[in-house]
Amino acid sequence: MFLRRLELQEFRSFRRLDLALEPVGLRLVGPNASGKSTLLEAVMMLATTRSPRTSSERDTINWESGEEYAVPPFARIAGVVERSADQIEIEIGLEADPARPSAGRKRIKLNGRPVRALDAVGALRAVLFSPEDVGLIPGPPAGRRRYLDLAISQVDGTYLRALSRFSQVLIQRNSLLKSLARDRVAPGAPAVAAQLDFWDGELIAVGSVIIARRLAVVAEIDLLARERFGALAGSDDFVVHYNPALDLDGLRESGAGVRDASLILPVVRREYEAALIEARPAEVRRGVSLIGPHREDLSFTLGGKDLAVFGSRGQQRLAVVALKLAEVALMGETAGEAPLLLLDDVLSELDAGHRAAMIEGVVERGVQLLVTTTDRDLLSLPVLAHLPLVGVASGAVIPAVS
């Protein structure tokens, strides 16, 4: 799988761009704020339909766009993707909402046909590694959940739909719990069971799918990341854990079926139901859902010690590199085609040896690699010499200065 062409119109600093890409990828060099990260952001939006840099997609629309046509500000991202079985065109149109200046409307097309975001995710698969990701391990749990959800959603549409449905159910259930708490309804009152049982059932149905799939995927990531961390750091005692708030000790100890979500799903469903029953009094009192995938987390150990607490900055950085490489391998094994790897100014975070080791691992897999930096010397690695080199300046791609 590779991106053959990227087109941008009024996307942040890029007024217009039509960029042809080689299957091997591209090296991009330029000063800060020149638009390098914007290009990778656009590719990730084609892959996931969402920006990795902002929660408000209105921010991605050039504020001056639309003026000459007397229409609301707009932006467009389009890409042509070559896959092993076919070629597909992806297009995302963004338009500012005149009624809500900070909001935007989004339209997505595959091969010219309008589709939902749920149906577009995975048409192009990509892994982004940016300097912010170095904080993944010591950072807040939401970032780790997002990392996991993005990795799984690009190769598993069932998981993505379960996430979407879970979010809807959680909103409804929390609204009910909030009203029960506000009215100080006793947790054991008949009205509580009458109202909560339905939403509990919905929560268990989709939440169990999410938890089971996360457990199975993390079991795979653990093996892949441990191998890659060993190659980078010479140590094989790096471990990735998934920590659901359910009693799954027996399942973990047996090891049977942990990497098969369908086998562990009945156990997860049973334990999720038991956990909700136990948590109901506290949830009714506090007015919020306390149990489920929205509260769970990943953790990382090195030599049996919590890497977030006891790991050095260098160890945490190498662990994230191992995780990203594991993500690339997981997507390739699951989908049968390697994803794109986008390295956004992260080469400066590593020494020369680790830079070479990271690049060699993905080049050997035939991964299309897009790598950016402000320092041209960092792009002179022999393993990168086969990638075309261009410059980026003021929202334009230009020939690199020799």
Side-chain angles (χ1 to χ4, degrees), residues 71-128:
V71 298
F74 68 93
R76 175 178 172 271
I77 313 167
V80 178
V81 183
E82 293 285 348
R83 307 189 295 191
S84 60
D86 58 13
Q87 176 180 287
I88 191 166
E89 298 180 9
I90 310 170
E91 180 179 337
I92 298 177
L94 302 166
E95 181 181 297
D97 187 344
R100 296 181 301 161
S102 63
R105 301 167 180 162
K106 179 163 57 180
R107 296 179 179 85
I108 304 170
K109 294 181 180 179
L110 293 182
N111 290 334
R113 181 175 59 88
V115 297
R116 301 177 304 166
L118 289 174
D119 299 319
V121 175
L124 169 67
R125 291 181 291 276
V127 174
L128 172 65

Side-chain angles (χ1 to χ4, degrees), residues 295-353:
R295 292 280 184 130
E296 295 172 349
D297 196 5
L298 282 172
S299 61
F300 310 89
T301 61
L302 184 61
K305 296 181 179 179
D306 187 343
L307 195 56
V309 177
F310 299 103
S312 68
R313 181 73 170 174
Q315 289 171 327
Q316 292 174 356
R317 184 182 296 114
L318 290 182
V320 174
V321 173
L323 282 174
K324 291 295 179 175
L325 295 179
E327 189 180 348
V328 170
L330 176 72
M331 285 191 189
E333 293 175 4
T334 304
E337 290 184 272
L340 281 64
L341 177 59
L342 317 178
L343 300 179
D344 189 14
D345 203 22
V346 296
L347 296 183
S348 60
E349 296 280 337
L350 303 170
D351 59 46

Side-chain angles (χ1 to χ4, degrees), residues 43-54:
V43 175
M44 282 306 296
M45 286 191 69
L46 290 176
T48 67
T49 75
R50 294 184 177 183
S51 167
R53 297 172 61 189
T54 178

Side-chain angles (χ1 to χ4, degrees), residues 47-77:
T48 67
T49 75
R50 294 184 177 183
S51 167
R53 297 172 61 189
T54 178
S55 58
S56 173
E57 289 170 349
R58 173 63 182 89
D59 296 341
T60 67
I61 301 173
N62 190 303
W63 286 88
E64 298 177 1
S65 63
E67 288 183 354
E68 60 183 302
Y69 304 111
V71 298
F74 68 93
R76 175 178 172 271
I77 313 167

Side-chain angles (χ1 to χ4, degrees), residues 6-26:
L6 176 65
E7 297 179 29
L8 301 181
Q9 184 178 5
E10 304 293 1
F11 186 73
R12 293 196 186 269
S13 59
F14 286 89
R15 304 305 301 262
R16 289 186 182 276
L17 174 73
D18 188 350
L19 179 64
L21 295 158
E22 296 294 329
V24 292
L26 191 64

Side-chain angles (χ1 to χ4, degrees), residues 74-383:
F74 68 93
R76 175 178 172 271
I77 313 167
V80 178
V81 183
E82 293 285 348
R83 307 189 295 191
S84 60
D86 58 13
Q87 176 180 287
I88 191 166
E89 298 180 9
I90 310 170
E91 180 179 337
I92 298 177
L94 302 166
E95 181 181 297
D97 187 344
R100 296 181 301 161
S102 63
R105 301 167 180 162
K106 179 163 57 180
R107 296 179 179 85
I108 304 170
K109 294 181 180 179
L110 293 182
N111 290 334
R113 181 175 59 88
V115 297
R116 301 177 304 166
L118 289 174
D119 299 319
V121 175
L124 169 67
R125 291 181 291 276
V127 174
L128 172 65
F129 186 9
S130 65
E132 292 76 17
D133 290 320
V134 176
L136 182 68
I137 289 175
R144 292 184 286 275
R145 288 193 294 268
R146 176 177 169 78
Y147 151 76
L148 196 54
D149 289 341
L150 282 176
I152 303 174
S153 294
Q154 291 189 65
V155 294
D156 188 342
T158 299
Y159 180 85
L160 180 58
R161 287 187 287 274
L163 276 178
S164 177
R165 177 58 181 162
F166 182 84
S167 178
Q168 296 168 358
V169 172
L170 189 65
I171 291 172
Q172 295 294 329
R173 190 174 187 270
N174 280 341
S175 177
L176 174 57
L177 286 169
K178 185 176 180 179
S179 68
L180 292 172
R182 183 184 60 243
D183 296 339
R184 298 186 178 181
V185 178
V192 172
Q195 297 179 75
L196 267 182
D197 283 353
F198 170 78
W199 292 113
D200 283 5
E202 292 289 297
L203 204 69
I204 292 166
V206 290
S208 298
V209 170
I210 296 169
I211 295 171
R213 190 72 174 106
R214 284 180 179 176
L215 281 165
V217 167
V218 171
E220 294 284 356
I221 287 178
D222 175 45
L223 295 175
L224 294 168
R226 189 180 310 184
E227 177 184 343
R228 282 147 184 81
F229 188 87
L232 291 166
S235 171
D236 61 356
D237 54 0
F238 173 58
V239 180
V240 186
H241 307 264
Y242 184 65
N243 306 307
L246 307 178
D247 183 7
L248 300 176
D249 289 342
L251 186 64
R252 287 174 181 244
E253 290 170 4
S254 69
V258 174
R259 292 162 64 185
D260 188 331
S262 64
L263 292 179
I264 63 178
L265 181 58
V267 178
V268 172
R269 186 180 290 118
R270 182 183 68 239
E271 295 301 330
Y272 196 178
E273 181 177 10
L276 282 180
I277 291 172
E278 183 178 349
R280 178 171 287 185
E283 290 186 327
V284 172
R285 284 196 305 270
R286 296 174 60 178
V288 67
S289 299
L290 300 174
I291 305 293
H294 62 297
R295 292 280 184 130
E296 295 172 349
D297 196 5
L298 282 172
S299 61
F300 310 89
T301 61
L302 184 61
K305 296 181 179 179
D306 187 343
L307 195 56
V309 177
F310 299 103
S312 68
R313 181 73 170 174
Q315 289 171 327
Q316 292 174 356
R317 184 182 296 114
L318 290 182
V320 174
V321 173
L323 282 174
K324 291 295 179 175
L325 295 179
E327 189 180 348
V328 170
L330 176 72
M331 285 191 189
E333 293 175 4
T334 304
E337 290 184 272
L340 281 64
L341 177 59
L342 317 178
L343 300 179
D344 189 14
D345 203 22
V346 296
L347 296 183
S348 60
E349 296 280 337
L350 303 170
D351 59 46
H354 288 130
R355 283 197 296 268
M358 177 178 65
I359 300 298
E360 286 171 357
V362 296
V363 168
E364 289 173 359
R365 288 179 168 268
V367 173
Q368 187 180 36
L369 179 63
L370 304 184
V371 54
T372 76
T373 183
T374 58
D375 183 355
R376 181 166 176 166
D377 289 343
L378 295 177
L379 298 177
S380 61
L381 288 171
V383 291

